[in-house]
Amino acid sequence: MNQSTSRMLNRVKAVYLFIRERETVSTTELAEEFGITDRTVQRDLNVLEYNGLVQSPHRGVWSTTSKKVKIS
């Protein structure tokens, strides 16, 4: 795995853990917390949503799902 892929996967994991800890967060909060653009946050959220780990019950607000996750 190349360095940029590894960095992206680490960021996606960190985003997931941040959402899980806070229960609900906005896209803007995530961008500010991780120092990345809204577009990058949206790409990361798309990965998490595709895998059934997060959901957006209200536009721009995210929370984790009840799907079980093993974090290593």
Side-chain angles (χ1 to χ4, degrees):
M1 180 172 4
N2 67 31
Q3 185 178 5
S4 64
T5 302
S6 179
R7 188 172 50 243
M8 187 259 319
L9 290 174
N10 286 333
R11 188 182 63 240
V12 168
K13 179 180 174 181
V15 166
Y16 173 76
L17 292 173
F18 184 79
I19 297 169
R20 191 169 80 171
E21 180 182 303
R22 298 275 174 105
E23 296 184 14
T24 59
V25 296
S26 70
T27 305
T28 303
E29 285 177 281
L30 290 168
E32 290 172 2
E33 176 68 23
F34 292 95
I36 54 180
T37 65
D38 286 347
R39 181 66 191 120
T40 301
V41 169
Q42 193 59 54
R43 274 194 298 265
D44 293 350
L45 291 167
N46 287 342
V47 169
L48 292 167
E49 185 176 35
Y50 178 81
N51 287 288
L53 299 174
V54 298
Q55 60 188 358
S56 180
H58 305 288
R59 185 180 172 118
V61 177
W62 295 87
S63 61
T64 57
T65 63
S66 59
K67 185 174 182 177
K68 300 291 182 199
V69 178
K70 180 180 177 185
I71 298 174
S72 56

